[in-house]
Amino acid sequence: MKKSLIALTVLGSVATIASAQSNVTLYGRADGGLGKTFGGKAQMTSSYKETSMLGLRGREDLGGGQVAIFNFEQEVDLKTGAGGSWNRAAYVGMGGGFGEFSMGRRTTPQSDTMGVFDLNGTANATSALKNLGLRADGSLGGNRANSQFMYTSPTMSGFQARASVVLKENKTAPAAGAADTRKTSYQLAASYKSGPLNLGIVVASKMAEGSADRTGFALGARYDFGSFIVSGLYTQDESRTTGKGFGLGVAVPLGALTVGAQVARVTSNPSATREGATAIELFANYKLSKRTLLYAGYGGLNKEGKAINGTTGSNTFGVGMVHRF
């Protein structure tokens, strides 16, 4: 009996020490509702506003202010319960006073820096910028990248920088006999925050050696006046087929309720049928708590916008609930 008590005491002490040095957190988000997508009919939705997902993240104290980190995250379909592989994040890295370095699949510098300039969080179905291929957090090749080496600096006097590289050899090889247009690609991003002002910039190198590929960039600014927030973004897509465009938005907080409107427009596109594509977004979000909100959203497209979006429908709308844990 005494030996058992001693063993339990020792195990408890070891567990306490381990938990003090490292931790693993289970987290997630669930978005369900009723909505109609472009060209579709009203039905139950999953991830209409924010992507439903489940994740694991952890950190271990290495001493001297250094930590080891990891993150695994996958999407979950609330309609069926189906979940994919770790398609949203799968990386490992280190952090400390120098900043953070990570390796694997994760969000890009653009995603982590520029997403704030879409005032409705780049809503999956209604985002005006996203519906024209100009999304604030991913117009330059997407908001996530495989096989990515990424560095994030510490914040100094409001400034923060991010940089990433994806090596040519980690990209999908061409079919036998086809030309190899793969190219090592880079992203550099910087942000500045001072009180109500947010500024951001990102530059991305060509992702491949194709006639439609070029250097892409995005610039964003956001200002909180207290009674309302305004935001603007301009981007030149890495792909010439998407072109250049801008987005403008305003959000008005009314206690627990926030209402807003955003518009996006393509200003330059190689296709005459897509020149002048315009999208609008109207949204309302009501916070029930820090982790739960109700939402309503509407998105609209003109004729050229439908051509870019690849849909016959000119509007989408939905209502739902998001809960985070």
Side-chain angles (χ1 to χ4, degrees), residues 119-301:
L119 296 181
N120 196 26
T122 314
N124 287 328
T126 61
S127 170
L129 284 163
K130 185 174 182 179
N131 283 328
L132 295 182
L134 304 172
R135 60 184 295 170
D137 67 347
S139 62
L140 309 178
N143 66 332
R144 299 170 193 277
N146 294 333
S147 307
Q148 184 177 206
F149 294 98
M150 180 166 163
Y151 169 72
T152 301
S153 78
T155 301
M156 297 173 286
S157 300
F159 289 95
Q160 188 171 42
R162 296 179 173 90
S164 71
V165 58
V166 178
L167 300 177
K168 166 185 174 181
E169 288 72 17
N170 284 121
K171 298 182 178 183
T172 303
D180 188 352
T181 61
R182 293 178 298 169
K183 182 179 178 66
T184 295
S185 52
Y186 308 87
Q187 272 198 21
L188 297 173
S191 61
Y192 174 72
K193 179 172 174 57
S194 177
L197 176 66
N198 277 50
L199 300 173
I201 181 172
V202 60
V203 178
S205 67
K206 294 201 302 183
M207 298 185 68
E209 293 289 2
S211 59
D213 295 289
R214 62 181 175 187
T215 298
F217 67 87
L219 305 166
R222 168 176 167 155
Y223 196 90
D224 186 348
F225 288 92
S227 57
F228 64 97
I229 304 167
V230 295
S231 182
L233 180 137
Y234 179 81
T235 183
Q236 171 177 287
D237 197 280
E238 180 274 336
S239 172
R240 297 179 191 274
T241 57
T242 299
K244 305 174 184 178
F246 69 88
L248 298 171
V250 60
V252 181
L254 303 167
L257 174 68
T258 297
V259 296
Q262 301 191 108
V263 61
R265 185 174 177 84
V266 172
T267 58
S268 175
N269 190 285
S271 171
T273 61
R274 299 183 175 192
E275 189 80 28
T278 302
I280 62 169
E281 176 184 17
L282 303 175
F283 62 90
N285 302 314
Y286 185 82
K287 290 184 178 180
L288 297 175
S289 70
K290 289 183 178 181
R291 296 183 294 145
T292 304
L293 66 81
L294 303 177
Y295 67 82
Y298 172 87
L301 294 168

